[in-house]
Amino acid sequence: MIGWFQGKERGRFPVIGAVADDQLVGFASYGSFRTWPAYKYSVEHSVYVHCEHRGKGIGAALLKQLIAAAREQEYHTIIGGIDAANRASVRLHEKLGFVHAGTIRQAGYKFGRWLDLAFYQLLLDTPERPIDG
């Protein structure tokens, strides 16, 4: 975990936590979408909420903070890779303006089954003056 946090710090990527009753119940962050210069205005995010705390608006609050941070840092697009069967996550992203940008079939294997990876994207009105990679 130390290396993960150090990587976030080096890249100036936010790590946002949600706390309830003095316990971490969720967190969110983003990082580089691709490492090539042409993609410097794109980030890929992750939002995790403990199963006992889902459906309480924590994921939405975390994702809204990530979107605000991405705007402040002048990224242009924020991308989420979601298990296509995770309807709650898909609904959350759509509710906040994300649109389906494509699905890669059987991209992951978890819980004893193949998972389709659906990409959802939100375009931001930043940066004000983009510069070529």
Side-chain angles (χ1 to χ4, degrees):
M1 284 303 299
I2 292 172
W4 184 83
F5 278 107
Q6 288 173 337
K8 296 297 180 183
E9 186 175 40
R10 273 192 310 275
R12 294 185 48 237
F13 300 127
V15 177
I16 302 165
V19 177
D21 299 322
D22 294 325
Q23 297 221 329
L24 182 67
V25 296
F27 71 94
S29 186
Y30 57 69
S32 299
F33 175 65
R34 298 287 180 267
T35 57
W36 298 286
Y39 300 103
K40 68 183 173 187
Y41 295 113
S42 298
V43 290
E44 184 172 3
H45 73 279
S46 296
V47 176
Y48 300 95
V49 178
H50 187 277
C51 61
E52 292 176 13
H53 296 275
R54 293 182 185 148
K56 299 177 181 177
I58 295 168
L62 289 168
L63 189 48
K64 287 176 184 177
Q65 289 182 56
L66 281 185
I67 293 167
R71 277 194 176 101
E72 185 176 309
Q73 290 184 301
E74 295 198 327
Y75 288 108
H76 184 63
T77 187
I78 184 165
I79 301 159
I82 304 169
D83 170 5
N86 186 341
R87 298 307 308 154
S89 185
V90 167
R91 280 192 304 275
L92 167 63
H93 283 78
E94 290 175 340
K95 177 177 135 185
L96 295 180
F98 285 76
V99 296
H100 183 249
T103 298
I104 301 173
R105 297 196 61 225
Q106 298 184 6
Y109 188 82
K110 193 173 174 182
F111 309 123
R113 62 186 175 89
W114 290 104
L115 305 176
D116 294 345
L117 177 62
F119 284 104
Y120 280 77
Q121 171 185 25
L122 178 67
L123 292 176
L124 306 173
D125 54 359
T126 52
E128 188 173 313
R129 292 188 181 103
I131 300 168
D132 282 342

